[in-house]
Amino acid sequence: MRITLDGNTCEDLDASTIAEAIEGGCTLAHEAGRIVVQVDVDERTLDVAELGDPEFTGGRAETVALTSLEPREVLLASLDLGTNAVDAANERFALAAHALQAGNAGEAAAPLQEGLELWQTLDEHVLREAVPTVLNSTPGAPTHDEFNALVQALEEALATIRQAIGSGDSSALSDSLLYEFPETATRWTDFFSKCTKALDGSGQDTTETR
């Protein structure tokens, strides 16, 4: 089984299963101060489900290729993901609001749900992991107080949306999606921008977490 890390063959690694190949590659990456962010088996990128499936990872392959990044690069990528998720959620909410204003509640359901799921993804993968790491270890980053205030504002904004959904108040829901929530989204976009500038200015690599 051929194992590569960032395009370089790991000559000293010997694995009998995909799981062993991944573990060995991750160990090498960690020793180099890097984090594995992608695993390809026979030129196909594995998803989370496959990575966690012992039956699959217990098998063999011709090639297991791992891609890694420096911790700082991972954080920057996460912040970029956060910004893109905010923008995409805002677009979905706007579509839902316009559909509600046109009296098409059925057409509003899908983009509304997609917007909420985007914020859920952002919360799980950026707000709970990447952001605390940036705040804890990067000079010039925003403060924890600023972060906590934004989290509270986000929770309140999402609660308003869910309350409007629960009460069936289409007018209140569309107003919240189109006029109130974008302000929360803008504050988050500005926050991610400050975090990115702090990382760019620090030029340091960090693995510290909350």
Side-chain angles (χ1 to χ4, degrees):
M1 188 184 311
R2 180 170 180 261
I3 306 168
T4 66
L5 176 62
D6 299 324
N8 300 311
T9 300
C10 304
E11 300 287 358
D12 295 333
L13 285 185
D14 184 21
S16 59
T17 66
I18 294 171
E20 290 178 2
I22 293 173
E23 181 179 0
C26 286
T27 297
L28 288 179
H30 179 73
E31 291 173 350
R34 298 174 69 85
I35 299 171
V36 171
V37 296
Q38 180 175 312
V39 177
D40 292 271
V41 172
D42 292 337
E43 301 184 353
R44 184 176 64 82
T45 302
L46 301 189
D47 58 26
V48 175
E50 289 172 315
L51 285 170
D53 181 1
E55 184 175 349
F56 176 80
T57 58
R60 291 186 56 82
E62 291 294 326
T63 303
V64 176
L66 294 85
T67 302
S68 71
L69 295 173
E70 296 178 355
R72 177 173 165 275
E73 294 175 317
V74 175
L75 291 175
L76 287 170
S78 295
L79 293 171
D80 187 55
L81 169 66
T83 299
N84 292 335
V86 169
D87 290 341
N90 233 16
E91 291 176 0
R92 305 313 293 169
F93 282 166
L95 285 174
H98 290 309
L100 289 169
Q101 290 176 340
N104 298 322
E107 293 183 10
L112 175 58
Q113 182 61 33
E114 291 166 0
L116 291 172
E117 289 175 354
L118 281 165
W119 276 104
Q120 180 66 34
T121 298
L122 185 149
D123 178 47
E124 293 174 353
H125 298 289
V126 181
L127 305 189
R128 295 178 185 270
E129 299 177 7
V131 168
T133 302
V134 174
L135 302 191
N136 289 337
S137 58
T138 310
T143 66
H144 282 278
D145 286 343
E146 184 177 352
F147 175 53
N148 292 334
L150 282 175
V151 170
Q152 181 177 349
L154 173 61
E155 292 174 348
E156 292 172 353
L158 290 173
T160 298
I161 290 175
R162 293 190 175 99
Q163 183 178 4
I165 294 173
S167 65
D169 190 339
S170 296
S171 178
L173 178 57
S174 64
D175 285 347
S176 178
L177 294 173
L178 197 57
Y179 304 117
E180 298 173 16
F181 204 89
E183 181 179 346
T184 300
T186 296
R187 291 175 64 190
W188 275 109
T189 300
D190 291 342
F191 177 81
F192 290 144
S193 178
K194 291 179 182 178
C195 289
T196 297
K197 288 178 181 177
L199 276 173
D200 283 338
S202 72
Q204 66 180 18
D205 298 328
T206 174
T207 57
E208 182 180 349
T209 58
R210 178 172 56 175

